[in-house]
Amino acid sequence: MKPVLSAFAVVLSLASPAAADPLVGFDRLDIQAKHRSSPLSAAVWYPTGRKTYAAPIGDSLVFEPVEAYIGAALPDENLPLIVVSHGSGSSIDGTAWLAAGLAGRGAMVLVMNHPGTTSGDSSPRRTVRLSDRSADMSASLDAILSDPAFSDRIDSARISALGFSLGGAAVLGIAGVRFDANAYANYCQTAGDAAQDCLFLARGGVDLDALPSEFSADMADPRFTSIVAIDPGFTYAATANSAASVNVPVQIVSLGDTYPWFSVDVRAQGSGLIDRLADVEHAVIPNAFHYSFLPICNDNAAQLLIEEGEDPICDDPDGWDRATAHAASIEAISRFLDL
């Protein structure tokens, strides 16, 4: 049994949503990445030193936007940096609520679009090229550390990688976790229709017996001093030895205490990842589920998605609302990162 302080579960229960996020600064960036054929679209959120003009970020027919001051000056202080990897099919805008919330707690937050797995460009075949995602994060870190507009405001001792779902797998790779292709193929065969991730890959004709080398590549980047993985994917393929060798603090955030998504269950009943990491905190957001980490939906968005035949990403469990899940998630992550 692990020592009490090395692995424990934190259950947060907030009675009501937190107050609206404070207005923070926002700017868009182009990131040059050698492994990509064109620049990565990226954005940075941060506390404001001086205000400019406010504008909505992430406005769409489905999701509510977040207000931010565009191109505002940074405060004259060092800030912890959080590099964010969005979930499959999401984007910079889809993480706006999270980035703004963490920036409101005093962090600089860098997020980029991942070609091949972002909004309007989400391919099952490119989903399994995990090291491309981690390389996006490392390239983005290179860029912001060399950008004079931001580099002097970054606390290099507090650089974190945060990822949701597919992004959660990428940040675990950055921590040093390796993924075994044969183990993943066996998981998909055993889990069958219970595995949402395997079903998505099957729809794209992905050959699980011939996964690309990028699935199992070494993705470690020692510049990241802590890791936050929210409902991480592919953990059934995580090798025990690599997980045990991770030497940075890791927080695993699980959305929901009933674990409706088998593919992201990290308990002993699922992939067992929690028991393999040496320095891990397991935070559980009760009465939430996987889609709770997506932005707040506009009125009538759920009906619109039904009419368009899309996934029910605006459906929340009975008796729980997404704003409360967001507030609980920001609180848990901020506490772990000491924001």
Side-chain angles (χ1 to χ4, degrees):
M1 183 175 179
K2 290 184 178 181
V4 173
L5 293 179
S6 68
F8 58 92
V10 177
V11 178
L12 291 170
S13 180
L14 300 183
S16 60
D21 289 328
L23 284 171
V24 293
F26 173 86
D27 217 341
R28 295 192 184 270
L29 309 170
D30 290 326
I31 303 295
Q32 301 297 327
K34 293 180 180 179
H35 65 290
R36 297 292 192 184
S37 59
S38 57
L40 297 172
S41 296
V44 60
W45 300 76
Y46 49 89
T48 55
R50 292 188 303 277
K51 299 176 181 178
T52 53
Y53 64 97
I57 308 299
D59 195 9
S60 72
L61 290 175
V62 176
F63 297 126
E64 291 183 0
V66 176
E67 291 279 323
Y69 288 112
I70 307 303
L74 279 75
D76 188 15
E77 59 182 292
N78 284 348
L79 306 170
L81 174 65
I82 305 170
V83 184
V84 174
S85 181
H86 63 69
S88 175
S90 189
S91 66
I92 292 168
D93 293 346
T95 59
W97 69 269
L98 173 68
L102 295 173
R105 296 293 188 106
M108 185 185 301
V109 184
L110 175 64
V111 61
M112 74 295 308
N113 286 344
H114 295 290
T117 58
T118 196
S119 298
D121 176 29
S122 188
S123 162
R125 286 181 292 278
R126 297 177 75 179
T127 294
V128 291
R129 298 171 65 94
L130 274 179
S131 65
D132 284 351
R133 270 190 167 242
S134 61
D136 290 344
M137 299 185 74
S138 293
S140 297
L141 178 57
D142 290 339
I144 202 163
L145 289 177
S146 62
D147 189 329
F150 300 101
S151 58
D152 289 344
R153 298 292 184 270
I154 296 172
D155 183 347
S156 60
R158 298 180 66 191
I159 299 176
S160 305
L162 181 154
F164 165 59
S165 195
L166 180 57
V171 301
L172 289 173
I174 279 176
V177 173
R178 302 290 293 270
F179 297 90
D180 182 84
N182 291 328
Y184 187 69
N186 292 336
Y187 149 73
C188 286
Q189 182 176 15
T190 301
D193 289 346
Q196 298 87 348
D197 51 341
C198 303
L199 295 177
F200 173 70
L201 298 180
R203 289 197 293 270
V206 174
D207 184 354
L208 297 177
D209 293 322
L211 291 178
S213 60
E214 290 87 352
F215 183 80
S216 302
D218 181 1
M219 299 175 252
D221 188 334
R223 295 175 296 176
F224 291 93
T225 58
S226 58
I227 303 293
V228 177
I230 302 99
D231 266 6
F234 292 133
T235 62
Y236 290 85
T239 68
N241 287 341
S242 68
S245 298
V246 170
N247 59 8
V248 294
V250 177
Q251 182 190 47
I252 305 291
V253 180
S254 291
L255 299 169
D257 43 6
T258 56
Y259 295 88
W261 278 55
F262 178 73
S263 60
V264 294
D265 189 349
V266 293
R267 303 169 301 166
Q269 300 94 316
S271 69
L273 178 67
I274 291 298
D275 296 325
R276 297 176 180 176
L277 295 165
D279 186 0
V280 62
E281 173 185 304
H282 187 201
V284 179
I285 310 301
N287 298 322
F289 77 140
H290 197 66
Y291 291 145
S292 298
F293 215 70
L294 300 183
I296 303 294
C297 292
N298 288 317
D299 293 341
N300 302 319
Q303 182 60 37
L304 175 65
L305 292 170
I306 291 173
E307 293 172 357
E308 295 295 326
E310 297 289 345
D311 290 336
I313 58 175
C314 287
D315 295 348
D316 289 310
D318 291 339
W320 193 253
D321 70 276
R322 196 166 295 192
T324 306
H326 286 181
S329 299
I330 290 170
E331 180 65 26
I333 295 165
S334 296
R335 180 192 44 73
F336 176 74
L337 297 178
D338 195 25
L339 299 181

